[in-house]
Amino acid sequence: MIPSPPSAVWTRLALHKLLRREFRGVRVIVVSNREPYIHRRSGGGVECIQPASGLTTALDPILRATGGVWIAHGSGDADRLAVDSRAHVAVPPGAPSYTLRRVWLDKETEERYYCGLANEGLWPLCHTAFHRPTFRLADWESYRQANRIFADAVLEEAGGDPALVFIQDYHFGLLPRLLKERDPRLTVAQFWHIPWPNRETFRVFPWKEELLDGLLGNDLLGFHLRYHCSNFLETVDRGVEAMVDSEHHEVWRGGKLTRVRPFPISIDFEGHVQEACGPAVKRHVETWRRELGNGHRFLGIGIDRADYTKGIPDRLRAVDRLLEICPEYRGQLLFLQFAVPSRTRIEDYQQLNRELAQLAEEINTRWARGEWRPIRICRRHLPQAELMALHRLSDFCMVTSLHDGMNLVAKEYAASRTDEDGVLVLSRFAGAARQLTSALLVNPFSVDEMGEALRCALTMPREERRCRMRALRSAVRENNIYTWAVNVMSTLLEVGQIPNLSAGLAAQEVAPAAVNF
Ligand code: GDG
């Protein structure tokens, strides 16, 4: 059972207090590939930066409250300079409250495990974006090797005591089993941040039994949606010897139970709102207004990592279609696409970047009028405050992923719009569409449908925009990142083997989770 928030919604402070009370004396170990703080060389010195990531927002408060250890791959060029002999560094800088333990991987292992198996194999396999996955035995061997290296680090940090290990994402499919085999007293949970495909799709994965067996080492396995949980259970049912209880979302294998549950991830709504209303964002609004000039009446935005699952080319084609069907927007609409380069060592990603440049050029050439061009692509990584300014300046935001586990951009857009204006055009195939039902939901594979949605967004009366945005905002406010963290952590208390934990929560007022996915 999930505890009720002490006030209307869960907050950072309420989560902190809950964890302080319930997890007192428990060693909490978080594992992710990406680190929450990176040390980089800068000028003649070293700077510590916090990469903008939903993962850090979600997990940092858990670690701060429990004073645990976060184990991650040390990827910064000054990371080795900042750690002690045990590869530890106290974070956050300035007000340390937990330990970051860095794991070192040699270049080849990193390349094959991370770029190869994880991003060229599992990533396209799990997303229905019709992108062929690439499987290489050498990549799989490196994936095994990287999982073993992380297992050693976790066991070292646990030091033989009972501990709660919370693993992030598809880079560590084998880690849960490796841990349980070596120390069955550990409570192990994992959150899979991307979709889980249907069982037919998963069948092509050459090492499916080993991966499924690895994941069934978890006591708790979380996905964003109930739908992904069901896909996983069906895959297990067909793929390995196990007893699957679809009604209770549980799997028994070799006398061990794994619970599979949906936990839709989110953002720090209140924190986001505060920043969006702050002076820095106001300044950026003015700067961007000047930068964009007044050669247009309407502004649309897209913000993504440049990834083929995000549906950016078809989004640009939808703008093209709008200009075709609604001549009144020619010379009037500017669509600004932010596409930060991502995974650029992989050829498919380089190809996407070329495609975007070419497509923008074609569309701009077709519709150019004097100085006006309909599409601008910006590849620079922007500070969060600038993104918020753009959210607030725009008439609509397009999130048209071909497939997406959740999509945090959609939630951030709604959170930034404290004026209750702006229209969100959202892919039906992003997990976020299950909560953000007041968006204009579209099929991202249909350029015509998206073109129509843009027409609808640009002609929507103010009252309807307000109504829809209000509903979007309350969905994000109520299901914020702290709700996610509380749900995960309290489910863990139920399944964990850590002494005296369940008692505390059982004594509290409890209520079912707010939304059923
Ligand atoms: C995976 C799943 C799931 C983007 N450009 C800039 C920037 N961003 C930020 C966005 C947002 C984040 O990056 C991207 O989040 P998404 O949710 O869209 O996606 P993935 O990176 O694909 O993440 C996804 C997520 O995990 C969490 O579980 O939702 O489905 O694929 O926060 O704002 N941030 C800054 N500058 C940029 O230029 N500062």
Side-chain angles (χ1 to χ4, degrees):
M1 295 292 264
I2 308 301
S4 314
S7 60
V9 292
W10 279 103
T11 60
R12 188 183 183 97
L13 187 64
L15 168 68
H16 189 89
K17 282 186 181 161
L18 177 84
L19 294 176
R20 271 282 157 102
R21 198 171 60 237
E22 301 301 332
F23 282 73
R24 204 177 320 118
V26 176
R27 192 134 184 83
V28 174
I29 301 173
V30 164
V31 184
S32 69
N33 177 69
R34 187 187 291 190
E35 42 184 356
Y37 297 91
I38 299 180
H39 287 87
R40 280 197 320 209
R41 290 178 199 278
S42 163
V46 169
E47 62 170 4
C48 179
I49 58 153
Q50 186 172 12
S53 118
L55 201 76
T56 310
T57 315
L59 299 172
D60 192 69
I62 296 178
L63 269 301
R64 284 185 194 219
T66 54
V69 183
W70 187 323
I71 302 178
H73 172 222
S75 60
D77 61 6
D79 274 357
R80 284 179 193 263
L81 301 175
V83 297
D84 63 17
S85 59
R86 297 171 63 206
H88 284 178
V89 53
V91 288
S97 52
Y98 66 93
T99 302
L100 170 59
R101 156 79 189 264
R102 288 179 170 143
V103 166
W104 315 115
L105 299 174
D106 63 71
K107 265 276 155 256
E108 190 183 341
T109 305
E110 188 207 340
E111 184 77 17
R112 291 192 173 283
Y113 127 87
Y114 178 73
C115 288
L117 200 280
N119 287 337
E120 288 185 276
L122 288 173
W123 178 267
L125 178 73
C126 289
H127 289 89
T128 311
F130 304 97
H131 217 90
R132 190 189 191 285
T134 303
F135 305 122
R136 304 177 195 94
L137 182 58
D139 291 352
W140 178 242
E141 280 165 356
S142 290
Y143 187 83
R144 282 191 184 129
Q145 172 67 4
N147 275 248
R148 280 196 292 266
I149 293 171
F150 274 84
D152 290 342
V154 172
L155 291 163
E156 214 174 287
E157 295 301 333
D161 294 327
L164 198 161
V165 185
F166 188 20
I167 304 166
Q168 305 304 309
D169 237 347
Y170 57 99
H171 311 95
F172 300 115
L174 303 177
L175 182 56
R177 177 67 68 199
L178 292 171
L179 293 175
K180 279 289 193 183
E181 269 170 1
R182 289 169 63 185
D183 188 350
R185 290 169 314 156
L186 295 173
T187 298
V188 182
Q190 183 160 21
F191 190 74
W192 192 265
H193 288 257
I194 62 177
W196 188 273
N198 67 39
R199 62 172 192 235
E200 281 305 312
T201 304
F202 187 76
R203 277 177 69 197
V204 306
F205 188 62
W207 309 282
K208 49 187 172 295
E209 280 175 39
E210 196 177 337
L211 184 71
L212 291 174
D213 181 62
L215 290 168
L216 292 174
N218 280 302
D219 296 296
L220 175 67
L221 175 60
F223 294 96
H224 291 295
L225 307 181
R226 189 168 289 276
Y227 177 59
H228 303 154
C229 296
S230 303
N231 279 348
F232 178 76
L233 292 169
E234 282 171 23
T235 307
V236 168
D237 207 14
R238 284 296 176 95
V240 288
E241 229 169 272
M243 215 177 75
V244 175
D245 178 346
S246 311
E247 200 184 323
H248 298 101
H249 278 211
E250 289 172 358
V251 182
W252 283 96
R253 175 167 162 85
K256 172 172 185 339
L257 175 66
T258 303
R259 291 174 172 93
V260 181
R261 296 281 187 280
F263 301 107
I265 209 163
S266 193
I267 61 165
D268 174 5
F269 180 85
E270 294 302 340
H272 191 102
V273 167
Q274 253 181 31
E275 197 181 340
C277 296
V281 173
K282 280 202 181 89
R283 274 197 307 277
H284 287 305
V285 166
E286 289 319 313
T287 319
W288 271 99
R289 240 192 215 123
R290 278 199 301 278
E291 155 88 21
L292 296 174
N294 42 18
H296 59 274
R297 256 183 74 209
F298 301 100
L299 176 67
I301 56 167
I303 299 166
D304 310 79
R305 277 187 308 105
D307 192 296
Y308 54 81
T309 59
K310 303 293 180 185
I312 309 172
D314 282 331
R315 185 183 305 170
L316 301 187
R317 290 188 189 101
V319 172
D320 183 49
R321 183 59 45 89
L322 174 80
L323 296 172
E324 208 173 287
I325 58 177
C326 300
E328 63 272 29
Y329 295 113
R330 297 177 197 164
Q332 301 290 321
L333 169 69
L334 173 61
F335 186 74
L336 196 50
Q337 174 65 52
F338 294 86
V340 190
S342 173
R343 305 177 187 172
T344 45
R345 279 177 285 172
I346 300 173
E347 166 58 28
D348 290 350
Y349 286 76
Q350 295 166 13
Q351 165 59 27
L352 172 71
N353 287 323
R354 288 192 293 269
E355 185 186 356
L356 290 179
Q358 197 180 335
L359 199 55
E361 163 104 33
E362 270 169 37
I363 298 172
N364 282 340
T365 308
R366 181 169 317 136
W367 302 112
R369 269 188 192 181
E371 293 292 296
W372 174 82
R373 302 284 181 281
I375 289 175
R376 236 165 99 171
I377 296 192
C378 174
R379 298 179 191 275
R380 183 161 65 90
H381 182 274
L382 295 184
Q384 186 73 14
E386 282 195 53
L387 291 185
M388 291 176 177
L390 287 154
H391 293 153
R392 289 167 77 90
L393 266 176
S394 63
D395 296 286
F396 64 88
C397 173
M398 292 187 87
V399 175
T400 56
S401 318
L402 303 179
H403 200 193
D404 218 327
M406 176 53 62
N407 195 289
L408 296 179
V409 175
K411 295 187 171 186
E412 290 161 355
Y413 183 66
S416 292
R417 298 308 303 246
T418 53
D419 59 351
E420 297 179 337
D421 206 345
V423 179
L424 176 64
V425 178
L426 176 60
S427 163
R428 285 198 174 83
F429 310 132
R434 310 275 173 128
Q435 291 173 311
L436 304 182
T437 49
S438 300
L440 287 183
L441 297 182
V442 292
N443 175 355
F445 291 86
S446 167
V447 168
D448 294 291
E449 191 179 322
M450 287 192 287
E452 277 303 329
L454 290 184
R455 185 214 301 253
C456 178
L458 288 166
T459 52
M460 190 181 284
R462 172 71 178 108
E463 198 40 44
E464 185 180 344
R465 298 201 302 266
R466 193 196 323 265
C467 221
R468 285 177 180 266
M469 187 49 78
R470 208 175 263 172
L472 294 178
R473 290 173 53 75
S474 60
V476 185
R477 183 187 299 111
E478 282 156 30
N479 297 283
N480 62 39
I481 191 60
Y482 303 113
T483 321
W484 179 84
V486 168
N487 289 355
V488 173
M489 296 312 268
S490 48
T491 309
L492 264 173
L493 290 182
E494 285 174 20
V495 306
Q497 302 138 316
I498 299 162
N500 78 28
L501 280 179
S502 317
L505 268 184
Q508 289 187 64
E509 195 191 335
V510 287
V515 189
N516 193 356
F517 295 89

